[in-house]
Amino acid sequence: MSESHRFKDHHREERIFFVRTVIAGVFVVLGLALLIARYYSLQVINHQDYATRSDRNRIHVQPIPPTRGLIYDRSGELLAGNRPIYILSLVPERIPDLDHTLERLKPLVNINPSDLEKFYDQLQQPRKPFEAVPLRYQLSEAEIARVAVNEFLLEGVEVEAQLVRYYPQQELFAHSIGYVGRISQSDLARFDEDDLRRYSGTHSIGKNGLEAQYEQELLGEVGNQYVETNARGRILRVLSRVDPKPGADLELHLDLNLQRTAAQALEGMRGAVVALDVKTGGVLAAVSLPSFNPNLFVTGISFADYRALNQSKDLPLYNRFLQGQYPPASTIKSIIGLAGLHHNVVDAEHWVRDPGYYQLPNSSRLYRDWRRSGHGPRVDMMQAMVESCDVYYYDLGHRLGVDAMHSFGSRFGLGQLTGIDLPSERRGIWPSREWKRGARGSAWFPGDNLNMAIGQGYALTTPLQLAVSTATLANRGKRMLPQVVRSVGGVERPPIVADYLEVDDKHWEFMLSAMENTVHSQRGTARRIAAGADYRMGGKTGTAQVVAIAQGESYDSDTLYERHRDHALFVGYAPADDPQIAVAVIVENGESGATVAAPIARKVFDAYLRQQYAQPLPHQEPLAGLIGGQRLGGSR
Amino acid sequence: MSNQDFLRRLPTTGQDLRRRARIQQRLHLDFALIFLLLLVTVYGLIVLYSASGQSASSVQRQGIYFLVGYIAMFTAAQVPVHVLRRMAPWAYAVGAVLVLLVLWIGVGAKGAQRWLSIGGFRFQPSEFMKLAVPIAVAAYFGQRLLPPRFKHVVVALLLTVVPAVLIARQPDLGTALLVAAAGLMVLFFAGLPWRYIAIAFGAVLLSIWPLWQFVLHDYQKRRVLTLLDPESDRLGAGWNIIQSKTAIGSGGTSGKGWLQGTQSQLDFLPEGHTDFIIAVLAEEFGLLGVLILLGLYALIIARGMAIARKSQDSFGRLLAGGLSMTFFVYVFVNVGMVSGLLPVVGVPLPLVSQGGTAVVTLMTGFGILMAIATERRRVTRHI
């Protein structure tokens, strides 16, 4: 009703509308001002913040791992190299359902339980987000192709090429060169800031042997590249790049042929052979058997493989030449004899009656000679050396006493670290009064002198120490620091004189001729190895007791458990007139230094002086095929 | 100086003006508005080429949409305003039914049901309602005395809110917002008493809690929460807003240059070619580029308001004012949400974001504006 009676007031409506448009206009202006203020705040006031954030978004620094330095033997044979392999790895953050993806992968690539075990193991460990976790190493061409074809189904699955270490000579140098392995949590724990930077992008680190000792030199310097990535992390372009510096190459004193010859001579036995260059101290061969394949460790050893190696009774992981401590036995007699001459306790004409045993004054205890009937009524030092007469040395030990023997022997490096460029060296024991008081809590007894003089009792040496002391003898008192590496990155490491022992020249002449006679005379204990040699050598055999034989009992190898049989030792050098090479051989439970250990040394001499090398056995052919876990896993 | 002098000095100018006015009148077009629209169109296509990852086909497709849009504009401009007014109830009714139908038999993606599929042709009724609602409300008030009485306000509110709620339930919050804005703007221009506005404002404040608790979807709540603290969910809901703010902020005053925006070219910015396209523009052309775009928008709105002012009947006035202000809401919501000022709702940047439907609807709206602009004489002749 009111509606029809009211008239449309056009003016009023227009006025209202005008007011409203003005108000609307004010709103528009205010609104736009608010927007502009907002954009001004983002783009001008906080521009720097967002510009930085945008750069951080797109620009990533990627480390480029350096190529690890190569290791060559003395004649340029490759002992440790790098080879490209293709690695299948997963980025867990990008995989919605891990089990599902693994199921999809199984028909495409061969995945062993041990691969899975290693994969899950690494998955548990802390890592950077979006860091790929390797699943399978050493993909074949066909596997790479199958993964590539199915890539769209496999979100978060990556195939990348990586250089990994390989040891073409397999187990031949396992104990000297050692091996690299994955960088472990304990490695990371001792890394400082700089290490973290240097190892960014690097996956492995030297764990043992030269690989560990020369880790800093071998590693090289990490490079980096600034890359522009998109939101999915794909690299679109490289903005700048600093190339990595490859690690320094190592050239060794070790000789592949000599090493192989020594290893084959010792094949089937447990023991060690060390050959040194007498003049330089260079380590020409260093064998510890049984050995293992270091390639197993490179990309992470499987639990089963490791357990097999670690629990083997033969201790393949044990570095016998560096850490094995054996009684030096009769091989010590040359040094003790020299000590007697040097200290004027005896002279070359001094003789002893050997009825087959020795008795200390005022003691009823019999110290037996290894030959029950004795070596005769007048045994002088020459005969005592050549025939390895114990009674003569019991007497000499008694005359010298522990202090003289300890100080003189120490000059040959006994009981001391040799300082070789390998980690975890053991020092053995060259006993002294102080040592016995400290270690055994008891005084030094006269009987201890006798045992010490024939290298039994408390005395323990490593094969490397025996080789060093023998080289020192051959070098007439100039003890060279043993070195495995001859040059680092082309820079020669000069020979280092560790010690120089001055002894009258006639004493050297006498003792070296005694050692020569041990090999070349009719009654020499090592006479068998002289047969057919067109050069002369010096040496000394040794037979070390593993278990004590009780008073009144005799050693009978048949009744003894195999592992309780005597160790066979031999030390020697050649050629006798101008010694070049010194060798120490120990064969665990080999029983006879003369018949078991000495022939091994002869083969090494022949190889070094006459190039009579052993040929590679089929399984020692340089590695050409797969390195991945599965194939090598079975070839232990 | 007399008028004569002026004419004598610039005789041709006057003739030109008169001739241009005549041509505009005959074609039912507004050259100023068309010029502004063309500027925005070209600007938008340039940005789109970059935002779509330098895809010529995207730009081509969008160009075709614009062609359709300009044809729609031209067509709408030819419809006499009185016809439009008479069609209003029917158009509204059809639109409302279609929106209802969407809820029943609509098709869609990503959990939203927004389209009707008729014989393979997909159609979004809510877009239609962006125009039908303001036309209907304006037509309703055009026959009433203004300022409106309470009863009429209620009817107008129902006309606006019912379709808006239906659309919001699809759910399509962005379109619902624009539809509601269109109706409410007309209501505002009709002279809605201030006390009602105050009451409504109070009611909105009071309804925030129940809305939050019972009406809003989880994803909608998340958007609001993300607005308050984008860093709380860096890789999830916050990603969009963090990346768009980074894109805008890193653009600085003059931008990184066309096709040089790292945020957009390297795919860090999601939805860079659709709702978030202003971030691409801001990154590559900087604050200056943003100011130019906002300036063009402001001129378009101003032109729309001028048309509204010149319109002599209330239907034309209200509709022109409502459409212009809806356009402003469009701009404000999009530009605000991309810069983290408002929660993210699906509102594209008008005339720039990729997409055909929005362009056609917007251009039809501008066609209606032009029809109103050129209607004047006929109306006076009628009276």
Side-chain angles (χ1 to χ4, degrees):
Chain A
M1 48 150 207
S2 60
E3 186 85 2
S4 51
H5 290 107
R6 273 171 63 184
F7 291 100
K8 226 170 160 51
D9 182 345
H10 287 284
H11 279 291
R12 180 157 181 245
E13 284 185 16
E14 259 181 70
R15 205 176 57 248
I16 291 173
F17 186 78
F18 177 68
V19 172
R20 291 288 157 119
T21 44
V22 170
I23 292 167
V26 170
F27 268 112
V28 169
V29 169
L30 284 179
L32 289 177
L34 182 60
L35 291 180
I36 290 167
R38 176 66 176 175
Y39 279 70
Y40 182 81
S41 140
L42 289 176
Q43 299 195 280
V44 178
I45 297 173
N46 295 315
H47 168 63
Q48 211 49 54
D49 269 10
Y50 287 108
T52 315
R53 199 187 280 210
S54 155
D55 278 346
R56 218 172 35 221
N57 240 351
R58 71 186 176 100
I59 297 172
H60 295 260
V61 187
Q62 284 193 328
I64 310 172
T67 314
R68 197 173 174 83
L70 307 178
I71 301 179
Y72 298 102
D73 89 332
R74 66 189 294 115
S75 47
E77 288 283 345
L78 185 67
L79 303 184
N82 305 303
R83 59 163 44 192
I85 61 165
Y86 286 92
I87 299 175
L88 179 79
S89 43
L90 309 182
V91 182
E93 282 84 354
R94 284 169 53 198
I95 299 175
D97 182 352
L98 189 61
D99 293 333
H100 188 62
T101 301
L102 286 174
E103 274 317 304
R104 279 215 171 121
L105 277 171
K106 273 181 184 155
L108 305 177
V109 294
N110 177 20
I111 300 170
N112 279 355
S114 76
D115 294 327
L116 279 177
E117 172 209 306
K118 281 193 273 182
F119 173 75
Y120 282 116
D121 191 44
Q122 279 208 44
L123 206 58
Q124 301 302 317
Q125 290 174 12
R127 57 193 181 84
K128 286 179 248 168
F130 288 94
E131 193 181 29
V133 179
L135 173 63
R136 244 298 301 282
Y137 291 88
Q138 193 76 31
L139 292 178
S140 68
E141 298 269 327
E143 286 173 324
I144 295 168
R146 282 199 293 270
V147 171
V149 166
N150 291 284
E151 198 181 0
F152 67 100
L153 289 172
L154 300 168
E155 174 73 24
V157 175
E158 289 177 352
V159 174
E160 58 161 347
Q162 212 183 71
L163 282 179
V164 300
R165 201 60 153 172
Y166 83 111
Y167 303 100
Q169 298 300 333
Q170 308 215 52
E171 69 273 12
L172 196 50
F173 290 93
H175 292 108
S176 45
I177 289 176
Y179 50 84
V180 300
R182 297 208 137 266
I183 296 173
S184 67
Q185 289 309 306
S186 54
D187 292 325
L188 283 175
R190 40 157 242 270
F191 276 7
D192 61 20
E193 281 290 303
D194 192 51
D195 288 332
L196 286 174
R197 181 189 63 77
R198 292 186 66 202
Y199 283 91
S200 56
T202 298
H203 298 280
S204 52
I205 187 170
K207 298 280 187 186
N208 221 328
L210 292 177
E211 294 275 27
Q213 182 82 16
Y214 288 89
E215 174 63 26
Q216 295 305 313
E217 290 84 355
L218 288 167
L219 175 64
E221 187 56 43
V222 67
N224 58 52
Q225 56 182 5
Y226 283 80
V227 294
E228 186 172 277
T229 59
N230 67 8
R232 284 178 290 282
R234 191 174 295 277
I235 296 173
L236 300 177
R237 72 196 157 116
V238 176
L239 300 173
S240 71
R241 181 183 162 104
V242 177
D243 284 326
K245 279 216 286 289
D249 294 346
L250 302 185
E251 202 186 0
L252 309 185
H253 286 286
L254 286 173
D255 183 318
L256 170 61
N257 287 313
L258 201 65
Q259 177 88 2
R260 184 185 288 135
T261 305
Q264 282 187 25
L266 193 61
E267 182 73 40
M269 300 176 249
R270 294 183 311 278
V273 178
V274 178
L276 298 177
D277 184 324
V278 169
K279 306 287 191 233
T280 66
V283 180
L284 302 171
V287 176
S288 171
L289 285 187
S291 188
F292 60 93
N293 188 341
N295 290 306
L296 285 176
F297 288 87
V298 171
T299 56
I301 190 167
S302 75
F303 186 67
D305 283 342
Y306 188 71
R307 194 177 46 195
L309 285 177
N310 206 25
Q311 295 185 350
S312 165
K313 255 186 359 184
D314 293 337
L315 305 176
L317 295 177
Y318 183 46
N319 188 343
R320 288 174 163 80
F321 70 76
L322 197 62
Q323 296 171 322
Q325 302 184 105
Y326 307 92
S330 304
T331 60
I332 212 72
K333 282 176 180 162
S334 41
I335 293 172
I336 301 295
L338 198 61
L341 297 174
H342 179 67
H343 288 290
N344 282 319
V345 174
V346 293
D347 59 20
E349 282 71 43
H350 172 80
W351 58 267
V352 163
R353 193 179 74 89
D354 175 11
Y357 59 86
Y358 177 82
Q359 269 179 304
L360 281 168
N362 312 319
S363 165
S364 62
R365 185 180 164 129
L366 297 182
Y367 290 86
R368 295 192 176 280
D369 197 289
W370 64 272
R371 189 188 283 171
R372 298 212 64 154
S373 55
H375 291 268
R378 285 174 72 100
V379 179
D380 63 5
M381 188 183 285
M382 182 60 81
Q383 189 189 351
M385 272 295 291
V386 169
E387 298 180 11
S388 198
C389 170
D390 288 340
V391 168
Y392 181 92
Y393 277 92
Y394 289 144
D395 175 63
L396 182 52
H398 180 61
R399 288 165 188 272
L400 271 169
V402 58
D403 299 331
M405 284 191 289
H406 175 79
S407 64
F408 196 78
S410 297
R411 302 297 297 275
F412 288 81
L414 300 177
Q416 297 171 45
L417 296 176
T418 64
I420 191 175
D421 47 350
L422 285 174
S424 314
E425 185 189 1
R426 301 283 289 272
R427 63 168 66 233
I429 297 167
W430 186 238
S432 65
R433 291 179 199 278
E434 295 74 42
W435 172 84
K436 194 183 177 193
R437 201 172 298 122
R440 298 296 161 101
S442 66
W444 189 264
F445 297 121
D448 294 334
N449 288 330
L450 311 193
N451 279 329
M452 188 173 173
I454 61 159
Q456 293 282 171
Y458 304 117
L460 290 176
T461 51
T462 65
L464 178 66
Q465 282 176 332
L466 286 180
V468 167
S469 61
T470 306
T472 308
L473 274 172
N475 211 20
R476 297 180 183 228
K478 195 192 272 183
R479 176 151 62 93
M480 305 304 294
L481 188 83
Q483 295 187 101
V484 184
V485 174
R486 193 169 72 181
S487 74
V488 179
V491 180
E492 294 273 339
R493 285 159 51 96
I496 295 168
V497 180
D499 192 9
Y500 186 55
L501 171 66
E502 292 204 53
V503 173
D504 197 323
D505 243 355
K506 67 173 194 261
H507 298 329
W508 286 121
E509 291 296 341
F510 177 82
M511 189 46 69
L512 293 176
S513 63
M515 290 179 79
E516 198 176 332
N517 286 337
T518 304
V519 178
H520 291 282
S521 75
Q522 280 304 307
R523 296 171 67 182
T525 50
R527 61 189 176 275
R528 295 177 51 182
I529 66 166
D534 60 351
Y535 55 89
R536 290 177 74 83
M537 55 202 119
K540 183 72 195 77
T541 58
T543 303
Q545 278 181 15
V546 176
V547 288
I549 306 297
Q551 281 282 308
E553 270 185 40
S554 66
Y555 177 84
D556 177 3
S557 92
D558 294 341
T559 60
L560 275 172
Y561 180 56
E562 201 260 41
R563 303 226 171 217
H564 290 166
R565 290 178 195 159
D566 292 347
H567 294 326
L569 289 88
F570 179 81
V571 299
Y573 58 88
D577 52 349
D578 179 23
Q580 302 294 324
I581 178 172
V583 172
V585 179
I586 177 155
V587 180
E588 287 181 11
N589 316 116
E591 296 199 272
S592 165
T595 58
V596 177
I600 294 171
R602 167 71 194 277
K603 283 181 187 166
V604 174
F605 292 146
D606 281 350
Y608 191 67
L609 299 173
R610 296 293 177 260
Q611 283 74 48
Q612 290 175 18
Y613 300 126
Q615 291 309 302
L617 296 173
H619 78 273
Q620 284 174 348
E621 288 287 346
L623 200 55
L626 296 178
I627 287 196
Q630 66 274 46
R631 214 182 93 174
L632 293 172
S635 70
R636 197 179 55 79
Chain B
M1 203 191 325
S2 75
N3 216 9
Q4 280 291 321
D5 292 337
F6 183 76
L7 275 179
R8 207 181 300 138
R9 236 179 254 179
L10 296 163
T12 47
T13 316
Q15 263 177 12
D16 269 8
L17 281 170
R18 272 201 302 280
R19 191 189 305 142
R20 205 176 77 187
R22 270 208 311 280
I23 295 168
Q24 291 193 47
Q25 205 66 44
R26 202 175 310 133
L27 293 174
H28 297 285
L29 292 179
D30 186 273
F31 288 169
L33 194 50
I34 288 177
F35 177 66
L36 292 171
L37 291 174
L38 280 173
L39 283 182
V40 175
T41 304
V42 172
Y43 195 13
L45 288 179
I46 290 171
V47 176
L48 182 66
Y49 179 67
S50 173
S52 61
Q54 307 179 25
S55 147
S57 67
S58 283
V59 174
Q60 202 180 354
R61 196 168 58 237
Q62 189 68 6
I64 292 169
Y65 287 145
F66 269 112
L67 206 64
V68 175
Y70 279 97
I71 292 169
M73 178 190 80
F74 187 80
T75 312
Q78 310 311 313
V79 179
V81 176
H82 61 94
V83 174
L84 198 63
R85 190 169 56 193
R86 250 178 284 140
M87 273 167 35
W90 303 105
Y92 181 87
V94 169
V97 169
L98 289 177
V99 167
L100 259 177
L101 275 178
V102 168
L103 286 179
W104 291 89
I105 56 166
V107 292
K110 290 190 211 163
Q113 199 165 305
R114 295 173 184 177
W115 291 276
L116 276 183
S117 185
I118 304 166
F121 180 74
R122 272 150 76 100
F123 170 71
Q124 202 172 340
S126 53
E127 281 292 330
F128 179 71
M129 290 309 274
K130 281 185 193 168
L131 294 174
V133 165
I135 293 172
V137 177
Y140 179 72
F141 285 127
Q143 298 164 344
R144 303 291 185 286
L145 290 175
L146 298 178
R149 297 177 158 203
F150 180 72
K151 186 174 78 182
H152 304 141
V153 171
V154 170
V155 172
L157 274 178
L158 283 177
L159 285 175
T160 305
V161 169
V162 170
V165 166
L166 290 178
I167 292 166
R169 296 193 43 145
Q170 289 178 356
D172 184 352
L173 212 56
T175 310
L177 188 75
L178 292 173
V179 168
L184 294 175
M185 283 301 168
V186 175
L187 191 55
F188 172 76
F189 283 119
L192 179 69
W194 287 107
R195 60 175 187 281
Y196 292 175
I197 295 176
I199 290 167
F201 204 74
V204 166
L205 283 182
L206 284 178
S207 66
I208 286 178
W209 186 79
L211 264 179
W212 184 264
Q213 212 65 16
F214 305 113
V215 180
L216 288 180
H217 285 250
D218 271 349
Y219 82 97
Q220 292 162 335
K221 289 186 201 172
R222 225 170 19 245
R223 282 175 183 179
V224 177
L225 290 176
T226 311
L227 174 77
L228 299 175
D229 180 19
E231 300 288 338
S232 64
D233 187 8
R234 272 197 71 83
L235 295 175
W239 173 267
N240 275 31
I241 202 69
I242 290 171
Q243 296 301 344
S244 73
K245 278 165 75 176
T246 306
I248 295 167
S250 63
T253 312
S254 53
K256 297 175 184 170
W258 190 46
L259 306 179
Q260 305 297 313
T262 52
Q263 285 289 107
S264 34
Q265 301 301 327
L266 303 178
D267 293 342
F268 284 101
L269 184 69
E271 301 292 329
H273 56 295
T274 57
D275 288 359
F276 280 73
I277 197 165
I278 182 100
V280 178
L281 185 151
E283 183 183 21
E284 299 192 344
F285 299 127
L287 184 61
L288 292 176
V290 175
L291 287 177
I292 290 171
L293 183 73
L294 290 182
L296 288 173
Y297 283 146
L299 289 175
I300 289 173
I301 295 163
R303 184 67 196 160
M305 298 298 276
I307 289 171
R309 285 285 313 282
K310 276 183 252 168
S311 172
Q312 287 187 352
D313 74 335
S314 52
F315 171 70
R317 263 201 306 262
L318 296 181
L319 185 53
L323 288 176
S324 305
M325 284 305 285
T326 309
F327 185 74
F328 168 70
V329 171
Y330 232 121
V331 171
F332 185 77
V333 170
N334 178 275
V335 178
M337 82 181 190
V338 174
S339 61
L341 209 55
L342 298 172
V344 175
V345 288
V347 173
L349 186 66
L351 305 177
V352 179
S353 285
Q354 190 175 54
T357 328
V359 163
V360 174
T361 314
L362 277 162
M363 295 308 281
T364 308
F366 287 115
I368 292 171
L369 265 181
M370 293 180 194
I372 294 167
T374 52
E375 187 73 2
R376 205 156 24 125
R377 296 255 151 64
R378 216 177 288 168
V379 172
T380 37
R381 226 178 290 138
H382 246 277
I383 297 167

